[in-house]
Amino acid sequence: MATLTQVGRSVPRLEGQAKVTGRAEYVHNQRLPGMLYGKIVRSTIAHGRIVKLDVSAAQALEGVHRVVTIDDVLKVVPNPFYGPAFHDQPILAAGKVHYVGEPIAVVLARDPHVAEAAAQLVEAEYEELPAVFDEVEAMTSKAIVHDELKPAGTFPDLKHLKGKRDTNLALDFHLRRGDVAAAMAEADHIFEHTFRTQQVLHLPLEPYVSIGEPTDTGLTIHTASQSPSFVRIEIARLLGWPENKVRVKVPYLGGGFGGKLYIKLEALVASLALLVRRPVKISLTMEEQFYTLTKHASTFRIKSGIKDGRITARECEVWWNGGAYADIGPRITQKSGFTAPGPYDIDNVSIDSYSLYTNLTPAGALRGFGIPQLVWAYESHTDMMARALKLEPVEFRRKNLLSDGRPQATGTLMKDAAIAAVLDRVALRMNWSGPFDRGSGTVKRGRGIAIGFKASISPTTSIAIVNVAADGSVTLYCSTVDMGQGSDTANAQIVAEVLNILAERVKVVHPDTDVTPYDMATLGSRSLYHMGNAVRLAAEDARDKLAALARELGLPEGSNVPVAELFQKKYKMQAGNSIGTGSYIPSYVPPDASGQTPEATPFWMVGAAGVEIEVDTETGHVRILKLINVVDAGRPINPRIVETQISSAAVMQLGFTMQEKMEFDAGQVTNASLADYKIPSILDIPTDMQNEAVEAEQGSGPFGGKGVGESGTFAVSPAIANAIEDAVGVRLTALPLSAEAVYRALREAQGAPLEE
Amino acid sequence: MTPFDLAEPATLQEAIALLDPDDPTVRPIAGGTALMLMMKAGVFRPGKLVSLRNVKDLTSIDAAPDGSLRIGAMTPLAAVERSAAVRAHAPVITRTMRTLSNIRVRNVATIGGSLAHADPHMDMPPVLIALGAHVVAASPAGERTIPIETLFAGYYETVLARNELIASVVIPAQGARRSAYLKCTTRAVHDWPALGVAVAVESDGATVRDARVVVSAATETPTRLAGAEQALRGGAAGNALWRQAGEAAAAEAETISDGQGSAAYKRQLVRVYVARALAAALEPDGAN
């Protein structure tokens, strides 16, 4: 490859200045003429039939424009159910509510304070139904969340669930490889453990916000969404319109993390705008985010057979708490199921992964698409086995790692996955083989390591347009959403590399479905790879067209005439464009009935963590002294942004590991505020945090690059639990690793458990 | 938030006259850092707020020759933090400010407001109780003095009448007493404390003559622990005595379960932090 000048350079973020000076555009700040504000009225019970919904007092309040219920919505959307996997979620509750916080009505007013006051006046009466909250109980529960399952039809593996009754199971994924029973029978040792994770929240500092704007030709939706193309297609489907009547515009996002995907408020504001023929804006409060989408709580039973220090058999059973609506949960269940046995070379594997409905806030993707839940379990398990077998934990891992060319659990051969290199770099930075101060008195020290991996979701499509104007300036049109991850800058660097210009000179047009082409969504670390490839192809297409123009004008090959002069020669003035397009979809083979496929994913992501900690044995407080994060990101397109992606992912997972937990009482979130749900602040972040992307290259990626948004999350939780056991000899199997949980485990180990 | 009336009187007497002894929707507002959160959450919907921001003569900090301090109720916490007089006569307050919420809150929140709000998680109440401080409160009936240890009637409740305002906080001269305040958070460094412990100890270096031990946050109101204080009186200063006091405190404190921890766990925190606070108070280069 020729020397790269734009790729591999830490170009400052193109939007940096606009953001820090408060000029960047966000939906939150948008106001349209005649706009109404909507305030959502929410269910106060977890499961029940709506017996009565009295909106008269709210409607009577001065300043209220209209109070809308599902009966009104039905006038514009006769079949008001949406969702990426199941058409299970109604635009407003239709007859039944399925979780506390479910929208049952909306008050519209010119003044948002009036809408809020009136929302308090809506009275609902319910006939309560039995509810189920736990994912394992949901498997056999008599409480059934949905009367009938309604798969969307877009996923072939969900078709058999159509119309199914009396079940909470929204997907079951099964994988069988080798002969687990035989291998277990031959094993020297068998270990079995169960691990749990809690409900946590995306909590972008810009909460969910959307505006519906009726237009002469259809409808424009301004929305803080990670998936503008999906929004357009799904809204068009709900309205029975062609796609081109729906325009979806997305400026910058104040964070997304997998929350702002698919349909959140968009179907609601679309219906409201069409009903009242005025722009309608709904901005959720921080508190309302707790009633919109969570990360899946999970239970993972894992069992391994060991022979001669090698893992020869592994059995995985995973239950995912999907909440009241499936959202993308079934996809998480399947795709993360692919890698549930971990980055290990195991011949005999069985995986059963279950997506379950419960009467809680719906769960969806959150920075890792299920992977952090799995790594939490299999890397805690790995350490527990090494400890029991008195094997050095890093050596035990090395002996079992998957290497390139070997088949992974799905049968797909590993390729361009720097698993061993990532583990080695963590161990080196930890000085793992060196001496370690174990603390003294009531303060003990410990250290831990963990490693995880992920198969990128597949197959998904990205399309890009690169437009070279007559003066040679370049504009990129694509529907990737820059929600803080730096995609505008990275994509500009790819264009610039191909066209041999400075990345800072490329203009990136933000998603506007009237203008920018289709993209599946900005999720799962897919954009740098998929859109990056499409952007590269589009730029190459534009470059080739310019070369063709030069040939047409009779210029000798490689004459390097400036672009502006080419256009001048062709059109006799500053006129014309060279438009390149690029479309990318990787090859993919769906898994067979045993979960086997030769092509499960276009690329693998690898992330490892190492921690040194201190435990106060009198209180259980854990202090993280050092956190090392190493990933395989292929060749970093923008090294500085890659580093911040690694560190921000690790810090987010640190919050999910040590601090964050949604507390529930009969399905009601009891800590739905930032005062009581604590995300990490700068004071919670270890002072010694090191982040590294190993030297690697993704052969099929744009300039050797691949996604990195999630890799830093994978291994943080088990690394810390492993360090806690190393320090004080107790093992925690449920997140979060709170001081009280550690202290209780210590007391338990002393034979003097603390009373409840 | 819903619309409300806002009054901005210029004197304490005007402010008191604007308050209503019978209407809970009429409330005074000082810095507003706590009240605004309640309003945004819809927990409190005011009919009228009486802002004390323009009230004159409530923001001075005066030290008397004997070392006692009088702090005007509307003094922002940041001003208390920077006061040389406070650092000289009650340095535990200066130290407490460093971890009291954050500088943005301290710039706005007031010392009077931090008492009148009666949130048991706040840091100033236990510290001021340990120092033996009192407030001077004004109402149509005139002025009265209320020891801060009797100011709190319950969770978010004080003994103040609805039309009674704290005018100043008076901290007696501390003499040889040495004090410390420790707090313990369980969910994040910047979380509300799961426990606050304030101690003030009088000792000749070898023997403890007298001590005040106050816990907050883990209990419904900031509470003096008489048993722990009794255990300390006349004892030989040192870790054994601090642990003994911690045991007494744990036996005595009525801790409550909430999102920050169970009652049983908080009792353990009381045991540990009372001992640590006593050690911190008497460390030669630590607190005094």
Side-chain angles (χ1 to χ4, degrees), chain B residues 92-142:
Chain B
V92 65
I93 294 179
T94 313
R95 286 194 305 274
T96 298
M97 289 297 172
R98 275 189 231 135
T99 60
L100 189 154
S101 187
N102 58 61
I103 187 60
R104 294 167 296 285
V105 167
R106 295 200 297 278
N107 277 335
V108 178
T110 65
I111 188 126
S114 76
L115 296 173
H117 196 60
D119 179 341
H121 300 94
M122 288 192 170
D123 300 307
M124 275 297 103
V127 171
L128 291 171
I129 293 172
L131 296 178
H134 65 264
V135 296
V136 176
S139 74

Short mmCIF file of all heavy atoms in Angstrom, two decimals, chain B residues 92-142:
data_model
loop_
_atom_site.label_atom_id
_atom_site.label_comp_id
_atom_site.label_asym_id
_atom_site.label_seq_id
_atom_site.Cartn_x
_atom_site.Cartn_y
_atom_site.Cartn_z
N VAL B 92 -12.68 22.53 60.70
CA VAL B 92 -13.40 21.35 60.19
C VAL B 92 -14.42 21.76 59.13
O VAL B 92 -14.67 21.02 58.18
CB VAL B 92 -14.07 20.56 61.34
CG1 VAL B 92 -15.17 21.38 62.02
CG2 VAL B 92 -14.63 19.25 60.83
N ILE B 93 -14.97 22.95 59.27
CA ILE B 93 -15.94 23.44 58.26
C ILE B 93 -15.22 23.68 56.94
O ILE B 93 -15.69 23.27 55.87
CB ILE B 93 -16.64 24.72 58.75
CG1 ILE B 93 -17.50 24.40 59.97
CG2 ILE B 93 -17.47 25.34 57.64
CD1 ILE B 93 -18.22 25.60 60.56
N THR B 94 -14.07 24.30 57.00
CA THR B 94 -13.30 24.58 55.78
C THR B 94 -12.98 23.27 55.06
O THR B 94 -13.13 23.16 53.84
CB THR B 94 -11.99 25.31 56.14
OG1 THR B 94 -12.31 26.37 57.05
CG2 THR B 94 -11.31 25.86 54.92
N ARG B 95 -12.57 22.28 55.85
CA ARG B 95 -12.21 20.99 55.24
C ARG B 95 -13.43 20.29 54.66
O ARG B 95 -13.38 19.68 53.60
CB ARG B 95 -11.53 20.08 56.26
CG ARG B 95 -10.10 20.47 56.60
CD ARG B 95 -9.39 19.34 57.35
NE ARG B 95 -10.12 18.93 58.53
CZ ARG B 95 -10.01 19.50 59.73
NH1 ARG B 95 -9.18 20.50 59.91
NH2 ARG B 95 -10.72 19.06 60.76
N THR B 96 -14.55 20.38 55.37
CA THR B 96 -15.78 19.73 54.90
C THR B 96 -16.22 20.29 53.54
O THR B 96 -16.71 19.55 52.68
CB THR B 96 -16.90 19.93 55.93
OG1 THR B 96 -16.50 19.31 57.15
CG2 THR B 96 -18.20 19.31 55.45
N MET B 97 -15.99 21.59 53.35
CA MET B 97 -16.44 22.22 52.11
C MET B 97 -15.81 21.59 50.87
O MET B 97 -16.41 21.56 49.81
CB MET B 97 -16.11 23.72 52.13
CG MET B 97 -16.95 24.51 53.09
SD MET B 97 -18.69 24.46 52.63
CE MET B 97 -19.40 25.25 54.08
N ARG B 98 -14.59 21.09 51.02
CA ARG B 98 -13.89 20.55 49.85
C ARG B 98 -14.67 19.42 49.17
O ARG B 98 -14.60 19.26 47.96
CB ARG B 98 -12.52 20.00 50.26
CG ARG B 98 -11.47 21.06 50.29
CD ARG B 98 -10.10 20.39 50.49
NE ARG B 98 -9.43 21.05 51.59
CZ ARG B 98 -8.79 20.43 52.57
NH1 ARG B 98 -8.73 19.11 52.62
NH2 ARG B 98 -8.20 21.11 53.51
N THR B 99 -15.39 18.65 49.95
CA THR B 99 -16.14 17.54 49.34
C THR B 99 -17.64 17.74 49.46
O THR B 99 -18.41 16.82 49.26
CB THR B 99 -15.76 16.19 49.99
OG1 THR B 99 -16.07 16.27 51.38
CG2 THR B 99 -14.29 15.87 49.80
N LEU B 100 -18.06 18.97 49.84
CA LEU B 100 -19.50 19.22 49.92
C LEU B 100 -20.00 19.54 48.51
O LEU B 100 -19.68 20.59 47.95
CB LEU B 100 -19.76 20.38 50.88
CG LEU B 100 -21.22 20.66 51.25
CD1 LEU B 100 -21.31 21.33 52.62
CD2 LEU B 100 -21.93 21.50 50.20
N SER B 101 -20.75 18.61 47.95
CA SER B 101 -21.26 18.76 46.58
C SER B 101 -20.12 19.22 45.66
O SER B 101 -19.06 18.62 45.68
CB SER B 101 -22.45 19.72 46.57
OG SER B 101 -23.02 19.72 45.29
N ASN B 102 -20.35 20.29 44.89
CA ASN B 102 -19.29 20.78 44.00
C ASN B 102 -19.28 22.29 44.04
O ASN B 102 -20.18 22.92 44.59
CB ASN B 102 -19.50 20.24 42.58
CG ASN B 102 -20.85 20.65 42.05
OD1 ASN B 102 -21.15 21.83 41.92
ND2 ASN B 102 -21.71 19.67 41.76
N ILE B 103 -18.27 22.89 43.41
CA ILE B 103 -18.09 24.34 43.55
C ILE B 103 -19.27 25.12 42.98
O ILE B 103 -19.62 26.18 43.47
CB ILE B 103 -16.74 24.79 42.94
CG1 ILE B 103 -16.45 26.26 43.24
CG2 ILE B 103 -16.67 24.53 41.45
CD1 ILE B 103 -16.35 26.61 44.71
N ARG B 104 -19.93 24.56 41.96
CA ARG B 104 -21.07 25.28 41.37
C ARG B 104 -22.20 25.37 42.38
O ARG B 104 -22.85 26.39 42.52
CB ARG B 104 -21.53 24.58 40.09
CG ARG B 104 -20.48 24.66 38.99
CD ARG B 104 -20.76 23.74 37.83
NE ARG B 104 -20.72 22.33 38.19
CZ ARG B 104 -19.59 21.65 38.43
NH1 ARG B 104 -18.43 22.26 38.34
NH2 ARG B 104 -19.62 20.39 38.76
N VAL B 105 -22.42 24.29 43.11
CA VAL B 105 -23.45 24.30 44.14
C VAL B 105 -23.01 25.20 45.30
O VAL B 105 -23.78 26.01 45.80
CB VAL B 105 -23.75 22.87 44.63
CG1 VAL B 105 -24.57 22.88 45.92
CG2 VAL B 105 -24.48 22.08 43.55
N ARG B 106 -21.76 25.08 45.71
CA ARG B 106 -21.31 25.87 46.86
C ARG B 106 -21.35 27.37 46.59
O ARG B 106 -21.51 28.17 47.50
CB ARG B 106 -19.88 25.46 47.25
CG ARG B 106 -19.77 24.03 47.76
CD ARG B 106 -18.50 23.80 48.56
NE ARG B 106 -17.26 23.96 47.82
CZ ARG B 106 -16.70 23.03 47.03
NH1 ARG B 106 -17.28 21.84 46.89
NH2 ARG B 106 -15.57 23.27 46.41
N ASN B 107 -21.20 27.75 45.33
CA ASN B 107 -21.27 29.18 44.99
C ASN B 107 -22.68 29.73 45.20
O ASN B 107 -22.86 30.93 45.36
CB ASN B 107 -20.88 29.39 43.52
CG ASN B 107 -19.38 29.47 43.34
OD1 ASN B 107 -18.67 29.81 44.29
ND2 ASN B 107 -18.91 29.14 42.16
N VAL B 108 -23.67 28.87 45.19
CA VAL B 108 -25.06 29.32 45.20
C VAL B 108 -25.77 28.93 46.51
O VAL B 108 -26.50 29.73 47.09
CB VAL B 108 -25.82 28.73 43.99
CG1 VAL B 108 -27.27 29.15 44.02
CG2 VAL B 108 -25.15 29.15 42.69
N ALA B 109 -25.54 27.72 46.96
CA ALA B 109 -26.22 27.24 48.16
C ALA B 109 -25.75 28.04 49.39
O ALA B 109 -24.61 28.48 49.45
CB ALA B 109 -25.93 25.76 48.37
N THR B 110 -26.66 28.21 50.35
CA THR B 110 -26.34 29.02 51.52
C THR B 110 -26.29 28.16 52.78
O THR B 110 -26.87 27.07 52.83
CB THR B 110 -27.41 30.10 51.74
OG1 THR B 110 -28.65 29.45 52.06
CG2 THR B 110 -27.58 30.97 50.50
N ILE B 111 -25.64 28.70 53.81
CA ILE B 111 -25.52 27.94 55.05
C ILE B 111 -26.89 27.80 55.73
O ILE B 111 -27.22 26.73 56.25
CB ILE B 111 -24.47 28.57 55.99
CG1 ILE B 111 -24.22 27.66 57.20
CG2 ILE B 111 -24.89 29.95 56.49
CD1 ILE B 111 -22.80 27.31 57.40
N GLY B 112 -27.71 28.83 55.65
CA GLY B 112 -29.05 28.75 56.25
C GLY B 112 -29.92 27.75 55.52
O GLY B 112 -30.64 26.94 56.12
N GLY B 113 -29.83 27.79 54.19
CA GLY B 113 -30.62 26.86 53.38
C GLY B 113 -30.23 25.42 53.64
O GLY B 113 -31.09 24.52 53.67
N SER B 114 -28.94 25.18 53.86
CA SER B 114 -28.49 23.80 54.06
C SER B 114 -29.00 23.24 55.37
O SER B 114 -29.04 22.03 55.56
CB SER B 114 -26.97 23.71 53.97
OG SER B 114 -26.38 24.20 55.14
N LEU B 115 -29.42 24.11 56.29
CA LEU B 115 -30.03 23.64 57.54
C LEU B 115 -31.55 23.56 57.40
O LEU B 115 -32.17 22.57 57.77
CB LEU B 115 -29.67 24.60 58.69
CG LEU B 115 -28.17 24.66 59.04
CD1 LEU B 115 -27.92 25.76 60.05
CD2 LEU B 115 -27.70 23.32 59.58
N ALA B 116 -32.15 24.61 56.83
CA ALA B 116 -33.61 24.68 56.76
C ALA B 116 -34.20 23.59 55.88
O ALA B 116 -35.33 23.15 56.07
CB ALA B 116 -34.04 26.06 56.24
N HIS B 117 -33.43 23.12 54.90
CA HIS B 117 -33.95 22.09 53.99
C HIS B 117 -34.11 20.75 54.71
O HIS B 117 -34.95 19.93 54.33
CB HIS B 117 -33.02 21.94 52.78
CG HIS B 117 -33.64 21.21 51.64
ND1 HIS B 117 -34.78 21.65 51.01
CD2 HIS B 117 -33.29 20.07 51.02
CE1 HIS B 117 -35.10 20.80 50.06
NE2 HIS B 117 -34.22 19.82 50.05
N ALA B 118 -33.31 20.54 55.73
CA ALA B 118 -33.42 19.35 56.60
C ALA B 118 -33.28 18.02 55.86
O ALA B 118 -33.83 17.00 56.27
CB ALA B 118 -34.73 19.38 57.39
N ASP B 119 -32.52 18.05 54.77
CA ASP B 119 -32.19 16.79 54.11
C ASP B 119 -31.10 16.11 54.94
O ASP B 119 -30.03 16.70 55.16
CB ASP B 119 -31.68 17.11 52.69
CG ASP B 119 -31.27 15.87 51.91
OD1 ASP B 119 -31.02 14.81 52.54
OD2 ASP B 119 -31.18 15.96 50.67
N PRO B 120 -31.37 14.92 55.44
CA PRO B 120 -30.40 14.28 56.34
C PRO B 120 -29.07 13.93 55.68
O PRO B 120 -28.12 13.56 56.36
CB PRO B 120 -31.12 13.01 56.80
CG PRO B 120 -32.13 12.73 55.75
CD PRO B 120 -32.55 14.08 55.22
N HIS B 121 -29.01 14.04 54.32
CA HIS B 121 -27.77 13.70 53.62
C HIS B 121 -26.81 14.88 53.55
O HIS B 121 -25.69 14.74 53.04
CB HIS B 121 -28.08 13.21 52.21
CG HIS B 121 -28.95 11.99 52.18
ND1 HIS B 121 -30.30 12.08 52.05
CD2 HIS B 121 -28.65 10.69 52.31
CE1 HIS B 121 -30.82 10.85 52.09
NE2 HIS B 121 -29.83 10.00 52.25
N MET B 122 -27.24 16.04 53.99
CA MET B 122 -26.37 17.21 53.85
C MET B 122 -25.24 17.18 54.87
O MET B 122 -25.36 16.58 55.94
CB MET B 122 -27.20 18.47 53.95
CG MET B 122 -28.05 18.65 52.70
SD MET B 122 -28.78 20.26 52.63
CE MET B 122 -29.44 20.24 50.96
N ASP B 123 -24.14 17.84 54.54
CA ASP B 123 -22.93 17.75 55.35
C ASP B 123 -22.88 18.74 56.50
O ASP B 123 -22.30 18.45 57.55
CB ASP B 123 -21.70 17.99 54.45
CG ASP B 123 -21.60 16.97 53.33
OD1 ASP B 123 -21.63 15.77 53.62
OD2 ASP B 123 -21.50 17.37 52.16
N MET B 124 -23.47 19.92 56.32
CA MET B 124 -23.34 20.94 57.35
C MET B 124 -24.05 20.59 58.67
O MET B 124 -23.51 20.84 59.75
CB MET B 124 -23.85 22.30 56.83
CG MET B 124 -22.81 23.09 56.06
SD MET B 124 -21.38 23.56 57.08
CE MET B 124 -20.19 22.39 56.52
N PRO B 125 -25.25 19.99 58.63
CA PRO B 125 -25.92 19.73 59.91
C PRO B 125 -25.08 18.90 60.90
O PRO B 125 -24.91 19.36 62.05
CB PRO B 125 -27.22 19.02 59.49
CG PRO B 125 -27.49 19.56 58.13
CD PRO B 125 -26.13 19.72 57.49
N PRO B 126 -24.54 17.75 60.53
CA PRO B 126 -23.79 17.00 61.55
C PRO B 126 -22.56 17.76 62.04
O PRO B 126 -22.24 17.70 63.24
CB PRO B 126 -23.38 15.71 60.83
CG PRO B 126 -23.49 16.00 59.37
CD PRO B 126 -24.58 17.01 59.25
N VAL B 127 -21.90 18.47 61.15
CA VAL B 127 -20.70 19.22 61.56
C VAL B 127 -21.08 20.29 62.57
O VAL B 127 -20.45 20.44 63.62
CB VAL B 127 -20.01 19.84 60.32
CG1 VAL B 127 -18.90 20.78 60.73
CG2 VAL B 127 -19.47 18.73 59.42
N LEU B 128 -22.14 21.04 62.27
CA LEU B 128 -22.53 22.13 63.17
C LEU B 128 -23.06 21.60 64.50
O LEU B 128 -22.87 22.21 65.54
CB LEU B 128 -23.58 23.02 62.47
CG LEU B 128 -23.00 23.82 61.28
CD1 LEU B 128 -24.12 24.51 60.50
CD2 LEU B 128 -21.98 24.86 61.78
N ILE B 129 -23.71 20.44 64.46
CA ILE B 129 -24.16 19.84 65.73
C ILE B 129 -22.95 19.45 66.58
O ILE B 129 -22.89 19.72 67.78
CB ILE B 129 -25.07 18.61 65.47
CG1 ILE B 129 -26.39 19.05 64.83
CG2 ILE B 129 -25.34 17.85 66.79
CD1 ILE B 129 -27.27 17.90 64.35
N ALA B 130 -21.95 18.87 65.94
CA ALA B 130 -20.75 18.46 66.68
C ALA B 130 -20.06 19.67 67.28
O ALA B 130 -19.47 19.59 68.37
CB ALA B 130 -19.80 17.70 65.75
N LEU B 131 -20.15 20.81 66.58
CA LEU B 131 -19.50 22.01 67.10
C LEU B 131 -20.36 22.71 68.16
O LEU B 131 -19.96 23.74 68.69
CB LEU B 131 -19.20 22.98 65.95
CG LEU B 131 -18.20 22.48 64.89
CD1 LEU B 131 -18.03 23.50 63.79
CD2 LEU B 131 -16.86 22.14 65.52
N GLY B 132 -21.56 22.19 68.42
CA GLY B 132 -22.45 22.78 69.42
C GLY B 132 -23.08 24.08 68.96
O GLY B 132 -23.40 24.95 69.77
N ALA B 133 -23.29 24.23 67.67
CA ALA B 133 -23.80 25.49 67.12
C ALA B 133 -25.31 25.62 67.31
O ALA B 133 -26.01 24.63 67.55
CB ALA B 133 -23.46 25.57 65.64
N HIS B 134 -25.78 26.86 67.22
CA HIS B 134 -27.22 27.10 67.24
C HIS B 134 -27.59 28.09 66.14
O HIS B 134 -26.71 28.75 65.57
CB HIS B 134 -27.69 27.59 68.61
CG HIS B 134 -27.15 28.92 69.01
ND1 HIS B 134 -26.04 29.09 69.81
CD2 HIS B 134 -27.58 30.18 68.71
CE1 HIS B 134 -25.80 30.37 69.98
NE2 HIS B 134 -26.71 31.06 69.33
N VAL B 135 -28.87 28.16 65.84
CA VAL B 135 -29.33 29.17 64.88
C VAL B 135 -30.13 30.22 65.62
O VAL B 135 -30.72 29.93 66.69
CB VAL B 135 -30.21 28.58 63.74
CG1 VAL B 135 -29.40 27.60 62.90
CG2 VAL B 135 -31.46 27.94 64.30
N VAL B 136 -30.15 31.40 65.04
CA VAL B 136 -31.08 32.43 65.51
C VAL B 136 -32.17 32.51 64.45
O VAL B 136 -31.88 32.71 63.27
CB VAL B 136 -30.37 33.79 65.66
CG1 VAL B 136 -31.38 34.86 66.06
CG2 VAL B 136 -29.24 33.68 66.68
N ALA B 137 -33.42 32.23 64.89
CA ALA B 137 -34.53 32.22 63.94
C ALA B 137 -35.47 33.39 64.24
O ALA B 137 -35.67 33.74 65.40
CB ALA B 137 -35.29 30.90 64.05
N ALA B 138 -36.00 33.97 63.15
CA ALA B 138 -36.87 35.13 63.30
C ALA B 138 -38.26 34.82 62.75
O ALA B 138 -38.39 34.17 61.72
CB ALA B 138 -36.28 36.32 62.55
N SER B 139 -39.28 35.29 63.47
CA SER B 139 -40.67 35.10 63.04
C SER B 139 -41.47 36.29 63.52
O SER B 139 -40.93 37.14 64.24
CB SER B 139 -41.21 33.80 63.62
OG SER B 139 -41.47 33.97 65.00
N PRO B 140 -42.76 36.40 63.20
CA PRO B 140 -43.54 37.53 63.72
C PRO B 140 -43.50 37.58 65.24
O PRO B 140 -43.70 38.64 65.84
CB PRO B 140 -44.96 37.24 63.20
CG PRO B 140 -44.74 36.42 61.98
CD PRO B 140 -43.55 35.59 62.26
N ALA B 141 -43.26 36.44 65.89
CA ALA B 141 -43.22 36.42 67.35
C ALA B 141 -41.89 36.92 67.89
O ALA B 141 -41.72 37.01 69.10
CB ALA B 141 -43.47 34.99 67.85
N GLY B 142 -40.94 37.24 67.01
CA GLY B 142 -39.64 37.73 67.47
C GLY B 142 -38.55 36.73 67.18
O GLY B 142 -38.73 35.83 66.36
#
